[in-house]
Amino acid sequence: MTEAKAHPFYAMHEHGFVRVATSTPHVRTADVAFNRDAVLAEARRAHEAHVDLLVFPELCLSSYAIDDLHLQGAMIEAVEAAIADIVKASAGLSPVMLVGAALMHKGRLYNCALAIAHGHLLGAVPKSYLPNYREFYEKRWFASGKAVRGQTIRVNGQDVPFGVDLVFASEVLPHFRFFAEICEDFWAATPPSSLGALAGATILCNLSASNIVIGKSDERHMLCRSQSARTASAYVYCAAGHGESTTDLAWDGQGVIYELGDLMAESERFSLHPELCVADVDCERIVMDRLRIPTFNDAAEAAGCPEESFRTIRFRHAPHGGDIGLVRPVGRFPFVPDRAEKLDADCYEAFNIQVDGLMRRLESTGAKSMVIGISGGLDSTHALIVAARACDRLGLPRTFIRGYTMPGFATSDDTKGNAWKLMRAVGITAEEIDIRPAATRMLEDIGHAFADGQPVYDVTFENVQAGLRTDYLFRLASQHNGFVVGTGDLSELALGWCTYGVGDQMSHYAVNAGVPKTLIQYLIRWCARGDQFDAATDEVLLAILDTEISPELVPAGADGAIQSTEAKIGPYELNDFFLHHVMRFGQKPSKVTFLAWHAWRDTAAGDWPDGFPEDRKNQYDLATIRSWLEKFLRRFFAFSQFKRSAIPNGPKVSSGGALSPRGDWRAPSDASAAVWLAELDARVPEE
């Protein structure tokens, strides 16, 4: 490992991640020695893959489908002896293992999950709900463990914790706390894992046999996704596979890992070879999400505060240190829909949230027109097509929309031309107001150097133009009994990239306020490539997407270079990435950097949104990411809040959040960014 990569920043464990895996080992029906060796072979493979928690199928030491052989004394003894071998072998292995085995206790046989770590049997969790219907007959062999609490069980001469009240907690990795349940427990109306989560477990594990029938894989996905979302946890599910008896059933060996409702990894089903399904679970993200959901704590209190009655079994283990990569999907565009099979539905939903919000505001005001400033840029374009669709749905002519393009000192022919093409294609009432005479007069009145012919293009010069445009729009709205539709987006609000008060920060209804720039780009592309508008509109939409993002307030330089927004405040794709992780989960700057580095360092790695243009695929090194994040932190925490505290109404669109002071984000206008900048400086290398 290079000296640079030895920095703690590169170690995923430093950022709250835990590497988990499901394993479907080779199994031979009722052959305990064979199955023991198969479990250990997978444990060694998981060790090489730097796994921290390894979940095996239900009853994997004996195999599940052996019917009355479960009750044979020789089988029971062989399983207990195999447990001793696995415990001994675990001393030199990194994973904490959950192994399925049947154990005898007080004259009863229990179907158990055994937690084994670093040469110790930590505890045994019995199955609560025993299926005894259709093909299942478990009550013939096993006793239910749902009432087993506070007990111990003797295994190979050692008394270990035994019950459904066990949460296993790492002494090495903060927030690494797991709970185990077994197969049918998952299908119960009240899964034991719900209480396990309320008792503090961040990772819920299911050791399952679960034979396969048509549609059952989808059902498992639904239950895993639902339970991980409902309990704000990770859910790790492992089913038995090839090698189980097929006397009357079949097995697919499905392994899935979900986190907060998101699929992290899935194994190959019906594989003839052992499957190791690996994902890095963000336990810190889970804890931070629970902090933001008071309902989670309310549920814990309503359940009698299970964290007080459950037993916490602490363990030491030996996680691999240093840079071991990051095994999880990290979306480059967290605000952009990325489910290929649901892409059209997700875009339709996002677009129509805006449309419906604007329709309702239009109905409630009784306005006779909507007034929009059309620049030929992304935001005003998106606001216009949302307004056009609102008119269509309300049965209003699109001429109800009054669009004004207002060229200033730096307006280019291309953007002005696109503005006119768009207004004509959409079919609105379109006009042009040249703001340069009024801007010149204002600059003269305030004694600005530009009025004396000096090339002074400062903030005042820019804000005079932005303010005049907004002033005109408000007066026009008054003249035409209408209201001003705001065009500014979520990204600009986050960065404070807007002119306060009499400027683009203000409107009567901020229809784009909940939509970040990256999503606006994607929704415009979706509209242009779908059947939302006609061919002429689609053509100009695509042309606008290809235009450099610029406020066009400063004349081009001698070299012809225009004012570039992203050169000033950073790439929107990075800023939106930063915003999502800071706003939605409160992630520390070092962790945001770590995630951004893994998401953006290589264009060839990971998935891109469907239809994303090849020439727009960028990559960024660590130094670049760190530099732009530092600027983001200064703008977001110390500079821009006063603008957000006074924004007009607008619809929330994404679960990632919005910045309305009446919604997701409340913050003081006079805060310091020192805490975030210090954390970034202390924990992230400069290159």
Side-chain angles (χ1 to χ4, degrees):
M1 186 184 300
T2 65
E3 184 176 350
K5 288 296 186 72
H7 193 288
F9 167 81
Y10 295 98
M12 66 116 183
H13 289 120
E14 293 290 321
H15 301 284
F17 292 99
V18 173
R19 184 158 295 175
V20 303
T22 67
S23 173
T24 307
H26 279 305
V27 65
R28 185 181 293 169
T29 306
D31 190 338
V32 176
F34 178 92
N35 297 338
R36 173 203 62 201
D37 293 344
V39 165
L40 287 173
E42 284 297 279
R44 294 185 187 101
R45 192 155 71 107
H47 173 85
E48 295 300 319
H50 312 308
V51 169
D52 300 308
L53 174 61
L54 180 59
V55 181
F56 289 98
E58 177 183 14
L59 295 170
C60 59
L61 285 184
S62 60
S63 67
Y64 174 82
I66 61 174
D67 299 334
D68 288 353
L69 300 188
H70 284 298
L71 300 177
Q72 289 288 310
M75 176 63 67
I76 294 170
E77 288 186 4
V79 166
E80 188 167 357
I83 293 168
D85 294 337
I86 293 173
V87 170
K88 182 179 179 180
S90 72
L93 300 174
S94 64
V96 183
M97 291 183 275
L98 278 172
V99 179
L103 294 177
M104 194 164 65
H105 180 66
K106 296 182 179 180
R108 305 179 185 90
L109 191 65
Y110 291 90
N111 180 347
C112 296
L114 308 182
I116 300 169
H118 220 46
H120 298 280
L121 176 56
L122 305 175
V125 179
K127 188 172 184 176
S128 292
Y129 296 96
L130 304 177
N132 225 58
Y133 53 89
R134 295 196 291 271
E135 64 264 41
F136 302 109
Y137 207 178
E138 287 192 28
K139 290 183 179 180
R140 179 181 177 98
W141 312 300
F142 303 115
S144 168
K146 62 178 176 289
V148 178
R149 295 172 177 273
Q151 297 190 30
T152 60
I153 188 171
R154 195 160 186 81
V155 184
N156 293 310
Q158 175 191 3
D159 290 326
V160 300
F162 180 50
V164 294
D165 58 342
L166 304 181
V167 171
F168 301 92
S170 169
E171 292 184 345
V172 182
L173 301 177
H175 309 314
F176 177 17
R177 300 167 64 90
F178 68 89
F179 176 88
E181 63 186 3
I182 302 172
C183 203
E184 184 75 6
D185 294 346
F186 185 44
W187 272 268
T190 54
S193 59
S194 295
L195 285 178
L198 295 175
T202 52
I203 303 174
L204 311 177
C205 307
N206 190 307
L207 294 75
S208 178
S210 185
N211 64 298
I212 187 63
V213 293
I214 295 171
K216 198 169 189 180
S217 173
D218 290 341
E219 184 179 3
R220 293 170 186 154
H221 273 291
M222 179 268 293
L223 291 170
C224 288
R225 182 183 183 194
S226 173
Q227 189 68 345
S228 73
R230 187 182 301 277
T231 61
S233 68
Y235 200 93
V236 184
Y237 176 88
C238 184
H242 184 78
E244 284 283 355
S245 171
T246 57
T247 300
D248 289 301
L249 303 172
W251 317 86
D252 66 334
Q254 184 172 23
V256 293
I257 301 170
Y258 275 85
E259 177 187 306
L260 298 178
D262 297 328
L263 179 62
M264 295 288 109
E266 180 176 11
S267 68
E268 178 186 345
R269 296 168 57 216
F270 301 106
S271 174
L272 295 179
H273 306 288
E275 279 287 305
L276 197 63
C277 174
V278 182
D280 292 336
V281 166
D282 191 346
C283 291
E284 186 177 71
R285 175 182 179 234
I286 290 167
V287 170
M288 295 300 289
D289 199 41
R290 290 177 178 178
L291 285 177
R292 285 161 171 69
I293 309 174
T295 305
F296 186 87
N297 184 62
D298 292 345
E301 291 179 352
C305 298
E307 71 273 14
E308 297 177 5
S309 59
F310 272 54
R311 290 174 285 172
T312 299
I313 311 302
R314 301 194 179 277
F315 62 91
R316 295 197 65 80
H317 58 126
H320 291 266
D323 182 9
I324 59 172
L326 186 65
V327 185
R328 71 184 271 121
V330 183
R332 293 176 172 89
F333 300 93
F335 287 104
V336 173
D338 62 355
R339 300 183 300 169
E341 74 283 4
K342 296 282 188 179
L343 188 63
D344 190 68
D346 288 345
C347 290
Y348 170 86
E349 190 169 59
F351 187 67
N352 280 282
I353 288 171
Q354 294 180 266
V355 171
D356 194 75
L358 186 56
M359 288 167 56
R360 181 68 187 96
R361 181 52 55 97
L362 190 58
E363 290 175 329
S364 66
T365 60
K368 304 304 180 185
S369 68
M370 286 186 283
V371 175
I372 307 179
I374 307 299
S375 68
L378 291 168
D379 293 345
S380 63
T381 294
H382 189 63
L384 176 56
I385 60 179
V386 167
R389 181 61 73 233
C391 286
D392 296 345
R393 290 186 58 192
L394 288 171
L396 296 170
R398 291 184 181 176
T399 51
F400 186 88
I401 303 167
R402 302 188 67 88
Y404 295 87
T405 186
M406 293 176 279
F409 296 116
T411 302
S412 68
D413 291 340
D414 286 343
T415 54
K416 179 180 172 182
N418 282 338
W420 271 107
K421 289 176 185 176
L422 180 66
M423 291 190 291
R424 287 170 178 148
V426 175
I428 67 172
T429 301
E431 294 187 33
E432 180 176 320
I433 298 174
D434 187 342
I435 66 166
R436 287 173 294 182
T440 300
R441 175 60 187 269
M442 180 175 285
L443 291 166
E444 289 173 351
D445 289 345
I446 65 175
H448 192 274
F450 177 81
D452 293 330
Q454 299 181 44
V456 177
Y457 307 128
D458 56 10
V459 172
T460 302
F461 176 79
E462 295 185 43
N463 285 351
V464 162
Q465 297 171 77
L468 276 172
R469 285 175 175 139
T470 302
D471 200 358
Y472 272 118
L473 292 174
F474 272 95
R475 299 326 127 219
L476 289 162
S478 176
Q479 183 179 4
H480 296 285
N481 297 314
F483 65 84
V484 178
V485 177
T487 60
D489 63 46
L490 182 67
S491 307
E492 293 177 341
L493 287 170
L495 296 161
W497 191 248
C498 51
T499 302
Y500 182 74
V502 184
D504 53 326
Q505 178 257 358
M506 188 50 60
S507 64
H508 288 117
Y509 190 69
V511 73
N512 286 343
V515 191
K517 189 79 74 177
T518 50
L519 181 54
I520 281 180
Q521 290 170 313
Y522 201 76
L523 289 175
I524 291 174
R525 187 172 289 112
W526 172 75
C527 286
R529 292 177 176 173
D531 297 322
Q532 302 299 315
F533 296 96
D534 60 24
T537 304
D538 294 344
E539 182 179 354
V540 69
L541 290 179
L542 292 174
I544 289 169
L545 281 171
D546 287 335
T547 303
E548 169 80 19
I549 299 174
S550 171
E552 292 195 327
L553 295 171
V554 174
D559 59 357
I562 67 168
Q563 184 183 20
S564 170
T565 297
E566 292 182 297
K568 176 74 173 179
I569 61 174
Y572 276 114
E573 56 197 13
L574 283 184
N575 283 319
D576 284 358
F577 186 97
F578 302 154
L579 174 62
H580 182 275
H581 290 281
V582 167
M583 177 173 62
R584 175 64 181 83
F585 294 105
Q587 304 281 31
K588 291 174 289 190
S590 60
K591 185 166 185 175
V592 176
T593 308
F594 180 77
L595 290 168
W597 181 63
H598 278 281
W600 286 100
R601 62 179 173 170
D602 184 0
T603 57
D607 296 328
W608 291 85
D610 189 64
F612 197 88
E614 284 294 327
D615 60 351
R616 294 294 182 92
K617 293 181 179 180
N618 299 315
Q619 65 185 40
Y620 304 97
D621 60 22
L622 180 60
T624 301
I625 292 168
R626 189 190 192 282
S627 174
W628 285 123
L629 178 57
E630 181 180 349
K631 293 177 176 63
F632 172 88
L633 295 172
R634 292 183 189 280
R635 298 189 71 96
F636 184 75
F637 287 107
F639 172 77
S640 307
Q641 183 58 42
F642 78 98
K643 298 182 181 182
R644 296 191 289 269
S645 294
I647 62 173
N649 300 156
K652 177 179 176 178
V653 173
S654 166
S655 61
L659 290 171
S660 168
R662 300 166 295 276
D664 292 63
W665 186 257
R666 293 166 176 80
S669 295
D670 45 9
S672 166
V675 167
W676 292 269
L677 294 171
E679 201 276 344
L680 180 71
D681 185 62
R683 298 192 63 191
V684 180
E686 294 189 4
E687 57 182 33

